[in-house]
Amino acid sequence: MRIILVGPPGAGKGTQAPNIQMKYGIAHLATGDMLRSQVARGTDLGKEAKQIMDQGGLVSDDIVAGMIRDEFLNNTACKNGFILDGFPRTVVQAEKLDELLKDLKLELNAVLELQVDDELLVRRITGRLVHPASGRSYHTEFNPPKVPMKDDVTGEPLVQRSDDNADALRKRLVTYHSQTTPVVDYFKKENKWHRIEAAQKPEEVWQQILEVLEKSS
Ligand code: AP5
Ligand code: ZN
């Protein structure tokens, strides 16, 4: 199963991807998580990416496409399939993905667009808490951890992402609408595109995804 999850910041990509990963035993490839791991390790790429991410911009197409290419070639979990979360988000990235899939003779099963109005996204993003090591995310109101500010699985502290503030979010939304909407429009012309109503409760969003995927496998 090979899937693209696309949607604005806070749409629920990182919340739903682990459900799909577990159900189908496939790799979850999130370019945002990969970049945050570079930032945490203090690499040169991480230092450069942090500035861009905190300002709500996009890291270069070559860098992110290169990261995905490395995963396809070296991550054995990709043999069963993958969920792309946060990639492609420019037309150039979509073209690079196309080439890569052609080279590897792979086909996508489904593109799921998680749709939510911008107003609700602000509430989701400003209340989000994350466990940096695993990428698990919580919400102070909509999905609180069992123990305040602690990860349910490891008990380690939860933090707020440095780009989860009103200013950076506004810029991320502008970036999404200008750079990623054209990618979604491109996918819409294919019969693999499916709209998911993502303003509903997480379990309801998951049910919609499951219905689509059962028909796409
Ligand atoms: P990335 O990490 O991909 O961030 P994003 O696209 O802005 O998306 P988010 O992670 O904010 O949202 P999400 O959809 O995963 O929401 P979540 O499930 O956590 O990218 C970060 C940055 O890295 C970019 O801005 C860019 O700079 C760079 N980057 C990454 N990829 C790149 C690329 N390909 N090219 C160039 N640059 C790139 O949910 C959000 C909150 O809502 C959580 O608190 C959650 O608990 C809650 N929630 C989720 N679903 C529901 C629900 N149904 N009901 C109630 N609450 C919910
Ligand atoms: Zn995410």
Side-chain angles (χ1 to χ4, degrees):
M1 183 71 92
R2 289 175 288 275
I3 302 157
I4 293 180
L5 266 188
V6 62
K13 304 181 294 293
T15 300
Q16 298 298 333
N19 294 334
I20 308 175
Q21 180 184 26
M22 274 203 278
K23 166 92 185 160
Y24 294 99
I26 58 181
H28 173 199
L29 307 181
T31 40
D33 288 346
M34 293 175 201
L35 290 167
R36 278 185 289 279
S37 142
Q38 295 279 344
V39 173
R41 282 184 279 144
T43 63
D44 286 344
L45 167 59
K47 284 179 195 145
E48 193 188 323
K50 181 169 169 43
Q51 287 193 340
I52 299 171
M53 292 164 82
D54 285 352
Q55 288 169 7
L58 292 180
V59 175
S60 103
D61 291 329
D62 281 339
I63 289 176
V64 288
M67 294 189 321
I68 291 293
R69 185 186 169 80
D70 284 350
E71 291 288 325
F72 281 176
L73 297 178
N74 302 318
N75 180 346
T76 49
C78 288
K79 289 213 162 59
N80 293 333
F82 50 77
I83 309 143
L84 295 177
D85 160 357
F87 179 92
R89 60 214 280 166
T90 66
V91 170
V92 172
Q93 290 178 24
E95 288 166 356
K96 285 178 182 289
L97 175 64
D98 234 22
E99 276 170 34
L100 197 50
L101 293 174
K102 269 193 199 123
D103 281 355
L104 299 172
K105 299 190 172 47
L106 296 174
E107 286 222 16
L108 290 173
N109 295 84
V111 177
L112 309 180
E113 182 191 358
L114 304 187
Q115 292 188 341
V116 185
D117 289 343
D118 285 6
E119 205 178 300
L120 180 56
L121 297 174
V122 177
R123 287 177 62 205
R124 285 201 185 166
I125 290 289
T126 47
R128 171 164 56 186
L129 297 168
V130 296
H131 175 239
S134 67
R136 268 186 291 279
S137 73
Y138 299 84
H139 192 281
T140 47
E141 188 188 339
F142 305 139
N143 177 24
K146 290 185 187 121
V147 177
M149 296 305 289
K150 297 269 197 273
D151 176 45
D152 286 355
V153 178
T154 63
E156 289 168 356
L158 300 177
V159 299
Q160 197 168 33
R161 263 170 53 175
S162 61
D163 59 345
D164 278 356
N165 55 71
D167 239 21
L169 173 62
R170 211 170 305 120
K171 290 179 190 141
R172 281 155 66 199
L173 285 171
V174 170
T175 305
Y176 182 81
H177 292 305
S178 62
Q179 306 274 324
T180 312
T181 302
V183 179
V184 176
D185 289 342
Y186 166 80
F187 286 131
K188 270 186 188 165
K189 293 183 199 130
E190 298 185 9
N191 57 7
K192 291 168 191 163
W193 173 82
H194 302 272
R195 175 182 182 276
I196 303 292
E197 174 45 73
Q200 298 178 358
K201 294 200 174 97
E203 311 79 62
E204 289 164 358
V205 176
W206 171 228
Q207 281 313 311
Q208 289 180 58
I209 292 177
L210 207 49
E211 258 177 48
V212 168
L213 294 183
E214 307 246 290
K215 287 185 206 142
S216 311
S217 47

